[in-house]
Amino acid sequence: MQYLRNVATLKLNTGLCTGCRLCVIVCPHAVFEIENKKALIANIDNCMECGACALNCQFGAIYVKSGVGCASGILNGILNNTEPTCGCTGTGAKESSCC
Amino acid sequence: MNNSFDYSNIKPLTLAIPSVSAKWTGNDFANAVKVRWGIGRNNSKITPGIYKIGNPNSQSDIFVSANYKLSFDILRKNLNAFDAWILVIDTKGVNVWCAAGKGTFGTENLVRSINKNSIKDIVTHRRLIVPQLGAVGVAAYKIMELTGFRVIFGPVRASDISEFVKAGYKATPGMRRVDFPFYERAKLIPVDLVYWKYRLIAALFVVFLFSGLDRSGFLFSKMFQTSLFPVLNILTGYFAGIVITPLLLPVFPVRAFSLKGALCGLIFIAILNWFFIAPTIERIALGLIGIAVASFTALNFTGATTYTSLSGVKLEMKWAIPFQIGFAAVGLLLFIISKLI
Ligand code: SF4
Ligand code: SF4
């Protein structure tokens, strides 16, 4: 399943990439592939901006503005004038996901 | 000289660690059901710390878990053939993925818990198996730097753990992917249904009230006589948005959730209209409100999905929310007009 096209903020600086594969391992949506010992963004529209790749790329080759893709979280953020926060307690609807 | 020291009180550290069973009891099942319906959600916590499953020794694997009871239970159930350690970190009773997003299932907390539980004295190896979705909060290279432990990201689903370990800690691409199949979506519906109950009741009350409107004022008896169709419109929109849209998510040929919901609402409200006789203006008025409800509740399902991005939802909300408010406002206005002409 894919969400809206051409919106993900994901960026890769191939110059910094060492081909360590960790982004491929942590990404839950198979966004990255390795080709010629370098990562490449193969399916950007799959990206849900979870931020796992950027956090785990120790060479700083990945940028993504991460956050929760959750409408009520964003509404809460707007109403409280904060970053989008999800009111999730980690239960039920939030079992396999966030918010 | 008195050197009678009571040796019976000295135990190796590893004996003092609580042991858990891989089997689920009736209570565990009851808890799983309750959680799905949002009952007693805050009681589902495990005390953070180190646990053992089977008879682990200093060579056994350590699996890291959140202290959300259901996460922990699913993990221990899938470790039934293992002798292993489970390191439960304090995520305030929130599951791994969500806690990782919030930072409680994160590098700092994991380091603290490795130190606090003297993990280095319990095992001689230096590997930790962290669920892949924890990578949102745990930076493997920092754990290595700070503690010397090598983080191995395990599969997304606990049910793949045994195969993952057998394959020499290697996950197939399928084990790394988060999907969102029908039963996963179905599981999420009860909580959402319950979650919006007060707003639903408020909306139902508003249409019920306005059903009794007349040029002479609000008539109580008219409310009872004519509110069935309006109330059913709202309920149809609500069920279309909360139940049907998530279930048939991939069926609607649009990507935006608000449009999926609106489309679903339109279809079901059209069906509803087929069973009722009402003036055209009232049909349109209530249809608009019902579609707005369906669209809004479906948009909120983005919070439960496993693939929507922040940028995407923000973009969608920018145009969808004004439309939903517009639909509901115009609908209500037309409904009032239909009562006065
Ligand atoms: S984690 Fe960073 S360095 Fe490693 S392959 Fe991915 S982009 Fe390259
Ligand atoms: S942000 Fe998440 S979904 Fe997007 S590429 Fe990185 S790991 Fe994959």
Side-chain angles (χ1 to χ4, degrees):
Chain A
M1 265 179 258
Q2 256 185 9
Y3 192 39
L4 308 184
R5 265 179 281 237
N6 304 322
V7 285
T9 51
L10 182 71
K11 301 230 162 27
L12 172 70
N13 182 342
T14 320
L16 296 173
C17 174
T18 62
C20 75
R21 298 190 64 88
L22 209 57
C23 53
V24 179
I25 289 174
V26 297
C27 178
H29 290 294
V31 171
F32 294 97
E33 277 170 20
I34 300 280
E35 213 176 82
N36 300 326
K37 305 215 166 104
K38 293 267 187 191
L40 66 92
I41 298 177
N43 307 297
I44 191 154
D45 290 335
N46 274 0
C47 176
M48 63 174 296
E49 301 181 327
C50 70
C53 54
L55 184 75
N56 273 283
C57 177
Q58 60 175 304
F59 306 99
I62 301 172
Y63 167 82
V64 64
K65 164 111 183 59
S66 63
V68 287
C70 161
S72 50
I74 294 168
L75 269 182
N76 283 344
I78 294 169
L79 297 178
N80 303 326
N81 202 12
T82 56
E83 284 284 293
T85 48
C86 56
C88 62
T89 51
T91 53
K94 295 62 200 181
E95 166 50 24
S96 56
S97 171
C98 192
C99 272
Chain B
M1 201 169 62
N2 183 4
N3 70 355
S4 69
F5 187 81
D6 185 4
Y7 284 93
S8 67
N9 267 335
I10 313 178
K11 286 189 194 120
L13 179 62
T14 48
L15 267 183
I17 294 170
S19 207
V20 289
S21 155
K23 283 212 181 65
W24 275 31
T25 64
N27 268 340
D28 297 326
F29 286 106
N31 175 65
V33 171
K34 276 204 278 186
V35 161
R36 297 275 173 242
W37 285 92
I39 306 163
R41 37 171 64 198
N42 293 324
N43 296 330
S44 300
K45 284 186 195 168
I46 297 286
T47 310
I50 182 94
Y51 291 80
K52 50 183 177 180
I53 194 141
N55 285 306
N57 57 33
S58 63
Q59 292 302 311
S60 308
D61 280 322
I62 302 172
F63 293 87
V64 181
S65 167
N67 79 326
Y68 174 44
K69 184 168 189 302
L70 197 55
S71 303
F72 180 78
D73 283 352
I74 290 170
L75 175 62
R76 71 184 163 92
K77 199 169 91 175
N78 283 289
L79 290 177
N80 56 354
F82 281 77
D83 292 315
W85 306 97
I86 301 180
L87 178 60
V88 176
I89 67 178
D90 188 2
T91 59
K92 315 238 179 305
V94 172
N95 76 63
V96 172
W97 207 5
C98 197
K102 286 171 175 256
T104 45
F105 194 98
T107 306
E108 218 179 292
N109 212 347
L110 180 53
V111 169
R112 202 177 310 135
S113 142
I114 290 169
N115 294 334
K116 198 173 145 196
N117 293 290
S118 316
I119 303 300
K120 282 184 181 161
D121 302 327
I122 295 173
V123 292
T124 49
H125 66 75
R126 292 292 175 260
R127 326 180 283 279
L128 283 179
I129 302 177
V130 175
Q132 184 191 327
L133 297 179
V136 171
V138 171
Y141 72 95
K142 284 195 185 144
I143 301 291
M144 174 61 108
E145 264 169 39
L146 296 167
T147 67
F149 276 92
R150 183 164 64 96
V151 167
I152 301 171
F153 286 113
V156 165
R157 282 162 295 271
S159 53
D160 289 328
I161 284 178
S162 120
E163 230 178 289
F164 168 83
V165 171
K166 264 188 226 138
Y169 306 105
K170 285 210 170 55
T172 61
M175 289 182 196
R176 295 251 168 255
R177 288 208 67 164
V178 165
D179 46 8
F180 202 33
F182 184 84
Y183 70 90
E184 287 284 344
R185 303 196 300 272
K187 269 198 314 206
L188 305 175
I189 292 169
V191 166
D192 267 8
L193 260 182
V194 186
Y195 185 75
W196 295 100
K197 55 182 180 272
Y198 297 117
R199 273 166 261 211
L200 173 67
I201 290 166
L204 290 176
F205 182 71
V206 169
V207 292
F208 174 74
L209 204 70
F210 281 107
S211 296
L213 190 63
D214 203 316
R215 256 178 266 185
S216 56
F218 287 95
L219 304 174
F220 205 57
S221 58
K222 195 177 170 194
M223 287 179 198
F224 281 98
Q225 283 157 13
T226 63
S227 65
L228 182 64
F229 182 56
V231 161
L232 282 179
N233 263 277
I234 305 277
L235 283 177
T236 304
Y238 190 77
F239 279 94
I242 290 189
V243 180
I244 312 294
T245 307
L247 286 181
L248 304 182
L249 206 57
V251 173
F252 303 102
V254 278
R255 289 180 181 227
F257 280 61
S258 52
L259 290 182
K260 287 177 191 280
L263 201 65
C264 183
L266 180 70
I267 293 167
F268 278 84
I269 286 173
I271 296 172
L272 175 73
N273 268 276
W274 201 70
F275 291 98
F276 280 83
I277 298 163
T280 313
I281 180 166
E282 190 179 330
R283 288 183 194 274
I284 295 173
L286 294 168
L288 286 173
I289 301 175
I291 289 169
V293 170
S295 176
F296 181 75
T297 45
L299 176 60
N300 266 287
F301 192 64
T302 51
T305 65
T306 52
Y307 69 99
T308 53
S309 62
L310 175 63
S311 307
V313 178
K314 267 191 176 161
L315 182 75
E316 177 173 353
M317 285 173 76
K318 244 185 223 148
W319 55 261
I321 300 265
F323 262 103
Q324 289 159 356
I325 294 175
F327 269 46
V330 171
L332 191 61
L333 203 69
L334 283 179
F335 186 49
I336 293 171
I337 293 171
S338 78
K339 293 286 165 185
L340 299 178
I341 51 175

